[in-house]
Amino acid sequence: MPRWKDLPDGLDPQVGEFVTRLRRTVDGDGSSLATLADRTGYGRTSWERYLNGRLLAPKGAVVALAEVTGTDPVPLITLWELAERAWSRSELRRDNATEAVRLSRARTVTAAPAPEALAADPPPAPGRRPTRRPTMFLAGALGVVTVAVGAFYLTDGGPAERNRTAAATPTPSATPPRSLPPGVLCAGPDCTGKDPEESGCGDGHVTTVAGITVGTTLVEVRHSQTCGAAWGRIVRAVPGDTVTVTVGQVRQSGGVTTVGDTIAYTPMVAVKEPGEVRACVELASGERGCT
């Protein structure tokens, strides 16, 4: 059975070339996806998506793959930059196509005559004179309504009844609650201080937006657009290494405390734009660095 699935139909050639190079790099190293996930800090499911062309690998994952496989990162990053532009163009085309379909449906609904309008004035049958009875009936009905309304307002019940109706009618909420995908448990300020993985903001809803290597430890800024939050993560770390993420005056910290662990991350901080986030690592050796 082949190790890799066929790439999706319609995948941009530049994205396909990039994914093919990733596959060759993984094949040359001989690592399984589980091993690759453990060594790079990116989840097994994420690597499966990257290597099957269903999701574009973030730059941090490309750099991590090059480091753990001993591959020159420059060619991979060059291909990634071309693939990233192609991927963005494809997403823009899909968004434009979806919007065009939505507008077309909206015009169709607006242009269609209402059933009531068609029923209110049916064309006369051939050989028959149009009848005036619907018009007479409508006039009579309006007269009855006018009399009833006048009588209602001559009584004491009119304003009082309006007041009771207004008091009984609930005011709709100005801001409906945000709908979250299944498994995602928080969004925005509600996420601050919470574990990103336990809250469902991790695998599948996260991208690495920045990263640097300090010593042999990789420190990253992780951002979830779905959750409106970010956190810091360190990979290939040792006990005593700590990571801190800061957004304005809000700060969260985490670190490796157990021998054998190589990954640690901070609790989340609510953020509107990932550019507001700063992640710093302090190694057990005393070396420091930020991104």
Side-chain angles (χ1 to χ4, degrees), residues 175-290:
T175 305
R178 179 177 175 183
S179 178
L180 298 175
V184 177
L185 305 181
C186 69
D190 289 342
C191 288
T192 296
K194 294 183 179 178
D195 186 298
E197 300 299 332
E198 293 179 359
S199 300
C201 300
D203 194 19
H205 300 288
V206 63
T207 56
T208 299
V209 295
I212 60 168
T213 299
V214 180
T216 59
T217 301
L218 175 67
V219 56
E220 301 171 318
V221 174
R222 304 274 280 170
H223 176 249
S224 173
Q225 184 70 33
T226 301
C227 294
W231 60 95
R233 183 175 74 168
I234 49 177
V235 181
R236 299 189 301 279
V238 298
D241 292 353
T242 59
V243 56
T244 302
V245 65
T246 305
V247 177
Q249 301 299 316
V250 182
R251 175 178 297 181
Q252 299 287 344
S253 299
V256 176
T257 58
T258 304
V259 175
D261 286 351
T262 60
I263 300 173
Y265 51 86
T266 71
M268 292 184 287
V269 177
V271 63
K272 294 182 179 179
E273 296 294 336
E276 303 173 8
V277 187
R278 180 179 176 86
C280 297
V281 62
E282 182 173 354
L283 304 182
S285 64
E287 194 172 358
R288 301 180 181 181
C290 297

Side-chain angles (χ1 to χ4, degrees), residues 87-144:
W87 189 275
S88 297
R89 289 194 299 268
S90 297
E91 287 189 333
L92 180 60
R93 286 194 294 269
R94 287 195 295 271
D95 290 344
N96 288 340
T98 301
E99 181 66 10
V101 171
R102 187 189 68 80
L103 291 175
S104 176
R105 290 175 177 172
R107 293 192 191 100
T108 301
V109 172
T110 303
E116 303 85 46
L118 294 175
D121 191 17
R128 295 181 59 186
R129 297 178 61 186
T131 178
R132 297 291 181 180
R133 284 182 297 176
T135 304
M136 295 173 62
F137 173 78
L138 179 61
L142 289 175
V144 173

Side-chain angles (χ1 to χ4, degrees), residues 140-167:
L142 289 175
V144 173
V145 172
T146 302
V147 172
V149 171
F152 178 77
Y153 275 96
L154 288 175
T155 68
D156 293 336
E161 182 64 25
R162 287 200 306 274
N163 290 339
R164 285 195 295 271
T165 302

